[in-house]
Amino acid sequence: MIRLTQKLTAPATPDTTVTLPLHQRIKSRLRVTLDDGRDAGLLLERGTTLKDGDLLGGDDGVTVRVVAADEILSIVRSDDPLLLARACYHLGNRHMSIQIMAGELRYSHDHVLDDMLRGLGLTVTVESAPFEPEPGAYGGSADGHGHGHRHHHGHDHEHSHDHG
């Protein structure tokens, strides 16, 4: 079995590819089948998220290019940036991972969320496409669940205001 142990930063010519959906691209330890049929194991640094086009290096010198697999997504397209911003707000408020592009946003298909966005006046289509969601402001995984810390936001707001 090929051991893929590092994410390469320098350009390289890949020997083969591995096609993975998002839920596999956010794992640092995983057994996979390369697109040429060989077995491989991902043994990457914890917290590594793979994106389409990333290169992985193996112990034996093999180089593998990551391909984002097509997934069933809900896709919203609009020329109205305010309407798209409202959609992003409502999806983010529900802790949904979203991919934001010019005039378009994508999320894992959910008919309830589709109906909510249609209620805002948006058109939602269901398509099969690669999914590369935003990783999040705290550097967590792209699935929105790997934050690595708690979101405790208790703050002491005692202020002394002497307007004298």
Side-chain angles (χ1 to χ4, degrees):
M1 177 167 59
I2 297 169
R3 294 170 35 101
L4 301 171
T5 58
Q6 59 184 320
K7 190 171 167 181
L8 303 177
T9 56
T13 302
D15 299 301
T16 189
T17 57
V18 62
T19 302
L20 303 170
L22 177 64
H23 76 273
Q24 290 182 322
R25 287 184 284 124
I26 61 173
K27 296 183 185 268
S28 53
R29 303 282 188 274
L30 182 68
R31 187 178 183 135
V32 298
T33 301
L34 302 178
D35 294 339
D36 65 9
R38 292 183 284 172
D39 288 329
L42 297 181
L43 303 163
L44 303 170
E45 183 178 327
R46 296 220 183 272
T48 300
T49 296
L50 299 173
K51 294 184 178 185
D52 188 70
D54 281 348
L55 295 172
L56 303 175
D59 290 343
D60 59 357
V62 69
T63 301
V64 177
R65 183 175 54 87
V66 175
V67 176
D70 284 352
E71 304 184 44
I72 303 300
L73 304 175
S74 294
I75 300 181
V76 178
R77 293 180 182 93
S78 177
D79 293 330
D80 184 341
L82 181 60
L83 201 50
L84 282 177
R86 289 183 67 209
C88 290
Y89 169 81
H90 286 287
L91 291 169
N93 197 39
R94 286 156 181 82
H95 300 278
M96 289 298 298
S97 293
I98 57 176
Q99 180 177 354
I100 304 168
M101 299 150 50
E104 180 178 314
L105 64 95
R106 298 174 177 188
Y107 55 94
S108 292
H109 174 61
D110 183 308
H111 68 89
V112 173
L113 296 175
D114 295 352
D115 290 344
M116 176 190 70
L117 294 182
R118 287 183 185 110
L120 294 174
L122 289 158
T123 301
V124 181
T125 60
V126 178
E127 300 176 26
S128 182
F131 188 39
E132 295 275 2
E134 295 290 317
Y138 297 103
S141 68
D143 75 342
H145 296 101
H147 297 300
H149 69 279
R150 297 206 178 270
H151 288 279
H152 175 73
H153 294 288
H155 302 281
D156 183 2
H157 289 286
E158 290 184 28
H159 298 281
S160 174
H161 297 285
D162 185 355
H163 297 285

